[in-house]
């Protein structure tokens, strides 16, 4: 909001003043009042007083000629009333000292050192009225009042309130409100309950029991270096077992092992339900007995050997691998597989707030808002100061039209990190969506204070929100960028707009946006890579190939080369250019190997009749993901071509078990099976 602070008359004087004053001009040894006066006006933005918690504003305002049309434009219905209430005569502000004629400023209490006569005041007010009437008739002729502009006159205004017009919620109140919505959760202790941990505990208990039995043996038969015959060993064994049973120690040892064996059954064999038949029970017990005896021997060997044991290799899949594989699945729009990778990451450590946050962002990508809300709540329950979690849970509340709750979380994000321009921008965009212009203005001012870059804060936030799949905030941020710089839109703006439209599925508009970006700078590899993504999703694979190859031909490579190589290699496979596909997939394997990259190498080698290399690549893919149906399908083809009946049948069986549904691949496997005469146990 803009308020007119002062509208005044000033008498012409020989000096230039930076304050609105009423002047007298000495002439030929005596004072003479001039009747010529000018009507000035100053405007100051008082909207910060409506910001939450603000009690003081201070600023300088230029004095400008009073123009009635400007007042009418700002206050179309109240300009006359405002003109009367805000017009102050010069002698209301400053009076002459009666003795010396010096100028004196009005004191804080309203008293003056020199008081003019009532006659002077009356004449001055009459002159003011005449001047105002004249300006109302012909304000366009107020050219002489440009003296304010020529002199660059200004006034300094400071307004201080006893208490803010709009109260601001305290950070501790916001934190308490967030805790009310999402109670903090105590850190969960990590429990070792996996299969490897269960087996390791079994080895430990076996060692303890073995030491106890050894002590019993030594107490009964003593220590001897003599060689014991087999018959004597059998006799000692029977006596030891009899004594252990008679003393109840055998039962004690068995109970010590019972609990860990139950863990092995649950964690290693995944058996938690009742058996359906006696045959199934006996089969399971036989398998369990063999396993327990083998592991018992390993446990005993750890106790009685002096040699260092070889440490077990770490798990093939790390948390970083799972994140990378999930992003690959998202790129291929295989959202079911991506969800499985996110869930596996949570299974590794469900007390990891970043894992919950990433799963929530993925849920926003697939438009599952309720699931996203659950994930962000879990993230905030673990860490209530996770700033991105606060912002994105606020976004979820916006999408669910719980605006009061959304405001609480957005505000709390700005309290957790007052220097976060992302939090202030998100709060401003929220206020803007709620038509709270004052709040939006305040938040954007704070965002720009925290933002330390030459680029626009809206473009930067739009780029960051786009990575988090917060498309509503991206759209609002780009709209503000359009309103801020409508004539100088950058290439980055068009590229972000293209990515937004691509995420919405509007590929035609996205392609138009990218081509606008390429006209601004045709040497930017990111623009050509983005154009390749748009045309690839539009099934224009030849155009996508040209754009990808152009993007990769620049000296400076695009950021996400892995995605470009994956899609470019898949295009080569579709165009049956298998040598190029193999080389491109191998480049992807060199940088960031995954099941998908090794599968691509395996397919390319198989089509090139390089069966040994194909099998090696497919084996690598199978290690990284042993439930990928395509990997098992191509392994079956390789085994069929190399005349390995048993392996071909097993691979085909596993391919069907994990859900192979590619009709072309299934048809090819059936055809090769019929040619070689084996591969499917059903015929």
């Amino acid at each position: 909001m803009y308020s007119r602070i002062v509208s005044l008359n000033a008498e012409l004087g020989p000096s230039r003043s930076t304050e609105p004053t009423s002047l007298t001009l000495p002439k030929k040894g005596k004072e003479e009042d001039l009747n010529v006066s000018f009507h000035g006006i100053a405007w100051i933005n008082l909207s910060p007083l409506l910001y939450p918690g603000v009690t003081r504003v201070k600023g300088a305002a230029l004095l400008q000629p009073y123009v009635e049309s400007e007042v009418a434009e700002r206050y179309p219905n109240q300009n006359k009333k405002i003109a009367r209430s805000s017009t102050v005569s010069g002698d209301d502000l400053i009076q002459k000292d009666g003795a010396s004629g010096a100028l004196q400023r009005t004191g804080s209490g309203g008293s003056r050192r020199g008081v003019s006569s009532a006659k002077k005041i009356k004449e001055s007010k009459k002159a003011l009225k005449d001047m105002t009437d004249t300006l109302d008739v012909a304000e366009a002729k107020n050219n002489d009042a440009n003296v304010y502009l020529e002199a660059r006159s200004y006034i300094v205004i400071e307004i201080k309130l006893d208490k803010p017009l709009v109260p601001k919620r305290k950070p501790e109140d916001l934190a308490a409100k967030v805790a009310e919505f999402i109670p903090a959760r105590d850190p969960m202790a990590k429990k070792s309950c996996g299969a490897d941990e269960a087996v390791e505990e079994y080895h430990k208990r076996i060692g303890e029991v073995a030491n106890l039995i050894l002590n019993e043996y030594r107490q009964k038969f003593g220590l001897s270096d003599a060689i014991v015959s087999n018959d004597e060993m059998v006799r000692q064994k029977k006596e030891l077992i009899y004594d252990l049973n008679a003393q109840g120690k055998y039962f004690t040892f068995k109970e010590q092992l019972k609990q860990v064996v139950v863990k092995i059954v649950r964690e290693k064999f995944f058996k938690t339900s009742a058996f359906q038949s006696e045959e199934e029970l006996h089969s399971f017990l036989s398998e369990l007995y063999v396993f327990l005896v083998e592991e018992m021997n390993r446990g005993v060997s750890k106790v009685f050997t002096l040699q260092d044991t070889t440490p077990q290799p770490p798990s093939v899949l790390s948390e970083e691998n799972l994140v990378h594989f999930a992003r690959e699945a998202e790129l291929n729009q295989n959202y079911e597989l991506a969800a499985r990778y996110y869930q596996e990451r949570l299974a590794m450590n469900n007390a990891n707030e970043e894992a919950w946050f990433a799963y929530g962002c993925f849920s926003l990508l697939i438009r599952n808002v309720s699931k996203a809300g659950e994930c962000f709540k879990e993230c905030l329950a673990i860490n209530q100061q996770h700033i991105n979690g606060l912002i994105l849970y606020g976004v979820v509340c916006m999408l669910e039209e719980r605006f009061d709750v959304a405001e609480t979380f957005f505000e709390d994000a700005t309290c957790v990190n007052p220097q976060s321009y992302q939090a202030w921008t998100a709060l401003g965009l929220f206020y803007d969506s709620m038509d709270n212009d004052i709040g939006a203005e305040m938040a954007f001012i704070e965002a720009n204070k925290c933002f330390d870059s030459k680029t626009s804060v809206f473009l930067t936030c739009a780029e960051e929100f786009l990575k988090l799949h917060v498309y509503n905030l991206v759209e609002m941020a780009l709209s503000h960028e359009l309103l801020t710089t409508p004539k100088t839109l950058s290439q980055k703006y068009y590229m972000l707009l293209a990515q937004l439209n691509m995420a919405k599925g509007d590929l035609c508009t996205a392609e138009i946006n990218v081509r606008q970006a390429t006209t601004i700078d045709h040497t930017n590899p990111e623009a050509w890579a983005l154009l390749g993504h748009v045309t690839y999703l539009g099934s224009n694979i030849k155009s996508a190939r040209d754009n990808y190859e152009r993007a990769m031909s620049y000296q400076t490579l695009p950021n996400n080369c892995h995605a470009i190589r994956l899609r470019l290699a898949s295009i080569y496979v579709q165009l049956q250019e298998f040598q190029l596909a193999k080389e491109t997939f191998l480049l992807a394997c060199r940088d960031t190997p995954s099941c998908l990259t090794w599968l691509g190498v395996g397919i390319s080698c198989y089509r090139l009749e390089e069966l040994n290399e194909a099998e090696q690549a497919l084996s690598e893919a199978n290690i990284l993901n042993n439930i990928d149906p395509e990997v098992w399908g191509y392994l079956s083809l390789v085994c069929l071509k190399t005349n390995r009946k048993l392996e071909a049948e097993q691979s085909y069986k596993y391919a069907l078990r994990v859900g192979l549904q590619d009709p072309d691949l299934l048809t090819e496997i059936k055809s090769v099976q019929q040619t070689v005469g084996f591969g499917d146990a059903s015929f």
Side-chain angles (χ1 to χ4, degrees), residues 553-573:
S553 65
Y554 286 98
Q555 189 173 6
T556 302
L557 294 177
N559 290 328
N560 194 359
C561 288
H562 186 74
I564 297 172
R565 284 173 177 149
L566 281 180
R567 287 182 168 176
L568 181 58
S570 68
I571 290 173
Y572 289 146
V573 171

Side-chain angles (χ1 to χ4, degrees), residues 461-524:
C461 287
E463 184 176 19
E464 295 175 6
F465 292 151
L466 193 63
K467 295 175 183 178
L468 303 177
H469 313 302
V470 191
Y471 301 127
N472 57 335
L473 292 190
V474 174
E475 189 168 6
M476 287 189 282
L478 292 179
S479 298
H480 276 275
E481 178 67 16
L482 179 63
L483 294 174
T484 306
T485 56
K487 295 183 180 179
T488 57
L489 292 173
S490 63
Q491 184 185 51
K492 187 175 183 180
Y493 169 83
Y494 287 110
M495 292 179 65
L496 291 174
L497 186 60
Q499 293 177 67
L500 177 63
N501 286 316
M502 186 169 61
K504 291 180 175 180
D506 190 355
L507 298 179
C508 294
T509 306
E511 184 173 355
I512 294 173
N513 299 143
V514 184
R515 294 195 182 278
Q516 287 175 311
T518 57
T519 58
I520 296 175
D521 181 8
H522 66 279
T523 63
N524 186 357

Side-chain angles (χ1 to χ4, degrees), residues 217 222-229 232-233 236:
Y217 177 87
L223 296 175
S224 176
D225 294 333
I227 298 175
V228 181
S229 64
E232 180 63 18
M233 289 180 61
Q236 291 180 358

Side-chain angles (χ1 to χ4, degrees), residues 15 84 115 144 199 237 336 350 417 501 539:
S15 63
R84 289 195 300 271
V115 181
D144 291 338
V199 173
K237 178 181 176 181
E336 183 178 352
N350 64 355
N417 186 2
N501 286 316
S539 301

Side-chain angles (χ1 to χ4, degrees), residues 12 16-17 38 62-65 142-154:
L12 182 62
R16 183 172 60 186
S17 173
F38 304 100
L62 288 173
L63 289 174
Q64 303 174 13
N142 191 19
N143 296 327
D144 291 338
N146 288 329
V147 65
Y148 296 122
L149 299 179
E150 295 170 359
R152 300 181 64 83
S153 302
Y154 67 91

Side-chain angles (χ1 to χ4, degrees), residues 79 103 225 280 293 376 397 458 464 518 576 600 663:
N79 57 309
L103 298 178
D225 294 333
E280 181 183 358
V293 170
F376 295 137
C397 294
F458 293 117
E464 295 175 6
T518 57
Q576 298 185 0

Side-chain angles (χ1 to χ4, degrees), residues 20-41:
T21 61
S22 178
L23 303 174
T24 61
L25 178 64
K27 183 177 180 182
K28 294 181 181 180
K30 65 176 182 178
E31 292 183 355
E32 179 179 327
D33 289 334
L34 298 181
N35 293 327
V36 180
S37 61
F38 304 100
H39 197 175
I41 191 169

